[in-house]
Amino acid sequence: MKIKLLPLLISFLFLTTSSIFAQGNFWQKIGVASDSSVRSTFITSGGNIYVGMGVDTTGGAVYLSTNDGSSWSSIYGVEGTAVTSIHVIDGNNILIGTGKQNGLVYDGIVKLTTDGGSSWSETTNLGSLQLAAGFVQTSDVIYVASGG
């Protein structure tokens, strides 16, 4: 599997309150075992939920829930780096994009685990690009979208 950098300018659409959301309790709050900000999510076809957390000053983490958010386990954590994107290839092979603020720019790094999060290795150092958008996978290539 190849990993390629795909530079993109990312724009996000923010939904305003509409009649569908005003009709009742559309969202249900589930807690993650952290007071940090959620930066990314990935839900597998099997229902596992992965959440990337972090702010640059307090550190980042990846949490996994296998029971619809009732409980969470940490599979990655590091001080001073936010987890900005997640891509789950299967239960063992997971890519994360991390970003660490270095002055006015971000140092982006792609990390890979092949054992479900027990150990991680750096696959790509993007230098002064912050990973923002995430990953897109074709049959044999994974593209990394970044902004910077």
Side-chain angles (χ1 to χ4, degrees):
M1 181 85 38
K2 296 178 184 176
I3 298 176
K4 294 186 177 183
L5 176 63
L6 180 63
L8 296 174
L9 290 176
I10 306 304
S11 61
F12 293 95
L13 298 175
F14 293 97
L15 296 175
T16 58
T17 304
S18 65
S19 61
I20 191 169
F21 294 109
Q23 293 176 6
N25 293 330
F26 190 78
W27 298 99
Q28 179 181 353
K29 183 178 180 178
I30 56 175
V32 177
S34 173
D35 60 357
S36 188
S37 301
V38 172
R39 295 288 188 105
S40 55
T41 58
F42 192 99
I43 302 173
T44 65
S45 60
N48 291 341
I49 305 169
Y50 294 81
V51 177
M53 309 286 286
V55 292
D56 306 317
T57 55
T58 61
V62 176
Y63 289 93
L64 166 64
S65 176
T66 58
N67 56 11
D68 296 323
S70 295
S71 63
W72 298 87
S73 58
S74 175
I75 62 169
Y76 173 82
V78 67
E79 290 293 320
T81 301
V83 177
T84 57
S85 53
I86 303 172
H87 181 73
V88 179
I89 300 166
D90 58 41
N92 288 321
N93 297 288
I94 304 165
L95 289 163
I96 60 172
T98 63
K100 181 177 183 177
Q101 191 166 4
N102 184 10
L104 297 176
V105 297
Y106 284 81
D107 294 329
I109 296 174
V110 177
K111 295 185 178 184
L112 169 70
T113 181
T114 58
D115 56 15
S118 295
S119 62
W120 295 84
S121 61
E122 182 177 314
T123 62
T124 307
N125 188 325
L126 300 174
S128 63
L129 299 175
Q130 178 192 19
L131 289 180
F135 302 92
V136 177
Q137 181 175 350
T138 64
S139 60
D140 62 343
V141 177
I142 297 175
Y143 294 92
V144 180
S146 65

